[in-house]
Amino acid sequence: MNKPKMTSEKGVPSNSRLLMLLGQLERMSRESMMTEAEIARQLTAKILHLIQTQEKTKKEVMSKGSTGMEVILASLENSRDLQTTLNILYILSELLTVGGGRRVAVFVSKGGPAILLKLLISASKESPPSEELMLQLHSLLAKVGPKDRKFGVKARLTGALNVTVNLLKQNLLNSKLVLPCLQVLRVYSSNSVNAISLGKSGAVELMFKIVGPHTKKNTTLLKVALDTLGALLKSKTNARRAVDRGHVPLLLFAYQDWHRNDTRQRHMLIRKGLLASLRNITNIKCGRTAFIEADGMRVLYNTSNECLPVRTLDPLVNTSSLIMRKCFPKNRLPLPTIKSAFHYPLPHVPAGGPVAQIYSQMPGVDDVVDDSDEETEADMENDTENEEDEKDCRAGNDDIETDLSKLRPREIHSRPFEELRVYDKFFLELSEDFQGYDFDCAKMSSETSTTSATKSPRPITVPAVQTAPLQRDPGEGRPASAPSSCRPATPLAPAPASSPLPPLELASIHLTEDVKEGLAKEGVAKEGVAPGPRPAPRGTGLEQELVRVLERVALEADSPLNGGGGGGGGVDEPPVNSTRHIHSPLLVGGIAAARRGGGGGSSAGGSDCGSEGPEEEGPLLEVPDTALLLPLHDPDLYVEMVKGTASVPRYSEVAYPDYFGHVAPTFREPLLERAYGVQRAKIFQDIERLIHPNDILDKVVYDLDIPSGPVIADDGESLKFNSQFESGNLRKAIHVRQHEYDLVLNSDINSNHYHQWFYFEVSGMRVGTDYRFNIINCEKSNSQFNYGMQVLMYSVQEAIGGKPRWVRTGEDICYYKNHFSRSSIATGGQKGKSYYTMTFTMNFSHKDDVCYFAYHYPYTYSTLKMHLSKLEDLRSPQIYWRQDVLCETLAGNSCPLLTITAMPEATANDHLCPFKNRPVIFLSARVHPGETNASWVMKGTLEFLMGSSQLAHSLREAYIFKIVPMLNPDGVINGNHRCSLSGEDLNRQWQNPSHELHPTIYHTKSLLQYLAHIQRAPLVFCDYHGHSRKKNVFMYGCSVKETVWQSNISTSSCDLHEDLGYRTLPKILSQMASAFSMGSCSFVVERSKESTARVVVWREIGVQRSYTMESTLCGCDQGKYKGLQIGTRELEEMGAQFCLALLRLKRLTSPLGLRTQQHFLDVESDLMETRAKVTSSPTTYVMEEDEPSFQEEVDYSADSNDDDPDPDVEASNEPEDAALHLDTLSDCETANHKK
């Protein structure tokens, strides 16, 4: 016998019986198998017997290098004998049954599926077709089809779809044949085109003939049929066909029947399959309508409640919840218009701008309910956000700037220097000769201060606030500690001339405190703060001081500018003992009828009692005098500042928290751990509104849109609300159920969106009652409220008791998509969007309290003016301080510009030249009004700069600081979240700002252009921001190299030459600031950010170190603050640490510093490490996303998220395993998914 041509792997005898038989079969295939059919049957039967009886023979055929599979497939393709064909199919079935996916992959790679499909078509032409042959073919196709990516296309092109459908129709009662046919149909249907074709062939109706009520027979068959039906119904065409045939009630009846009879939970997969079909049908509008008409909400609500006690049934509950949320009828917001309740007339409205588009709409068409089917459920899983803000986000590489010409920083002199000369007046320090200033006296004062600080038993500290106010000299308004002879003969930096404020008409405030007695009683200055570390030895050099402070920046409470910022541990501070008496409410100037409308009677300690004029004073309150702990806070001065603040609504009240001030608590406030099932329970409560409509009160209790007044009189059963004070934002409050309120936020003025910031007052509460508050018109697709952040509350009763402070509070906090539809006008033309609900539960501790709730720690424009006034009063003679009015805003409020540096030691040139040649640091903050944390960081920076420590003095000697602490005063005053009165995001106007519509940006940019013209461009530019979607503090910068690395630009290495100094400052901060995260920083330039301050200053002014510093609104997940929510102490500390980083930057970058510092930052190495992290991230330009998208489905309408511009994705293309993962993810798991 000739040696067979079969090959085998090493170790298998070449003359084995199997190889011999395969060799004979291979030779037969070359001839005519038809003439020797009997021999072919015998050979295949022998091979089958060997494979069935000897396991090693399977390995011989499937082993690497063996050609056995090719021989078998060739014989199958050439066979015309039924028995031979069946024998070969049996052989393949045996080979592919074991061995896992590797053997199937080999079969697919050899072209096996195509041969099987070809054989299926050939066999279907027989009349009648062989049942056994069809059974074996479909069984094999069901095994190999899922492993072949092109299987659906192959089946459609060969015509196999109709063959399987027709075979199924003819054999519905033959369960043995029906099962493999259904398995193959399930594979066919995974292709969206095939699903539509199968629907036309009647496959959907076939499935509904198989699916039915509860039965103990053929449960496996039923499970596969439901899987197939679910795949078919992903097609909208098939879903409409099912609705038209009236199948929705049948599915609901079947689900209810299986739920009722499956008491041992043995058939959860069948119940899940029924829900999957309902879920896909309700992706279309007519499906949702049919579901509602069939009473599906009640059916799923009742069955889900019965499933709640069994944790293993969570997938059913979650899917039922998703279906009910989608089918909840879409409603418009309960507002007459989505435009802001306030309107400010602009000097001119740019044609085609956002304001022109808003006010060109006809009344009643700006908020139309859109219930379209344009988005699918697959889109809901893409809730992501780019981070400096979200409106302009472009996820992925598409947003990265790829034009190298735009990536080249270059100075653009768009304005002639003659126009910029008017800004000379803001740079007087560059030409000041200081004639008439007594430097000897100033030096003596400075030395006295330094000596006192050296002898003090305290370490070098970062000042924040002060324990007791310094006595003012009534003549000059300077600290009384400074000798009058030391003052300059001429005011060095006089405040800008302005008309005097009207006399204080708030005659109801009477000071009755005894400062010394109060401090002696409570020991506030001594006992309220934990002792600090031991002081450094006398004579310690500045370098040692800096190293010590870099190890830990402590906000000590009894430093000259510090009083409530320090403290330790979890022991609460003693209450403030000194008091003052005031009347309620606080009305600026005694303006009558501060609250229009009802408002009812007074409540003890509340500011919600109406006032009809100065003659009707509220109850007399004894309140703490917080100025003892807050040297920068003066309640009387604050009221004066409020009087000089212009607001669009003409606010006439002062909120108690702003009047009292905020003393940061010393106890820690950890991130809230969400209990299991909280979000699901909240959503089910929402669904109950539709199921139990009789429980709905729907009573409006506060409404800014009512001309007669927002406060609506009631019978005392409802809470009272108010937001008519500076920075307040609450448009409407609706008493929905007994202890539940829906709250609607106001849009930014001259806008129809940007709902996030809130600040409002609540009164009339009862103790021991759980009140639920729902803010129902949030816009972002996710929030840190899902990851441990809590709202802030300020209790007037607590403040009166000596604890005036904002605290994190609220339980059962969730953030999810609701059933209120967003207008396409407010979403840039995108349809099918919904608002989001932020809900929390509150149990109040005091009866008849007045409480304030806020998104973050409020910091008003009047607070800034008060702080600046106090800082100027407390400055020492060695500090150069000047406060100018940069410009006036649209509403006529002044925008302050600060200049801070150290005074020269004398008027000689060797002192004045270094003074005038100090590098410039330019800082700004609060361009977005809702990012109040930016102002608290700025407060920490300012207090450090004005401090008396040697470090602060060294920093002032190193730089000239130009600071615009609030770029958007109008937005802050009027409670906007993002825009100014122009209705535009000011941080998108830096490329071409208008001097009329964007005056603060226009003039700030002009200052920078002026500096560039005189060759004094800032060494560092930093714009302070807040971040609502990420934790920690981090920076965005600008780098050509890192931008190119994250794009597909092909460029030479010479084009990527770049100084890595832009990374130095963030790296220093990461080493010294516990809250700062270098891993969250990004230095990539995006197209959508080309008009932001950071990019424009880098590109046009030529500032290499141009940054946006983002501070979390939530908390930290690293360092000593890991697991804690951020507070004002940490934010102010961050501002002080930024100053220390600048001081270290000076030492590291100066020639002397480079010689003395042996540990200079290895930024190149760090850059390479970060690049490796970035390239593996799907969101390349956000570096490393520290929060995953919230995985629990919380969508009512199955539409795409608010921020992603990705095109719609057909639901049928969604991977099945992703859907299964989503369904099985419990509420508890999603709540903790961040870990």
Side-chain angles (χ1 to χ4, degrees), residues 141 168 221 469 613 778 821 1097 1138 1179 1208:
L141 287 172
L168 191 58
L221 183 69
C778 301
S821 178
V1097 173
F1138 183 82
T1179 310
D1208 295 341

Side-chain angles (χ1 to χ4, degrees), residues 565-585:
V571 180
D572 201 358
E573 70 278 1
V576 181
N577 186 59
S578 183
T579 61
R580 61 169 59 208
H581 290 165
I582 68 170
H583 280 283
S584 172

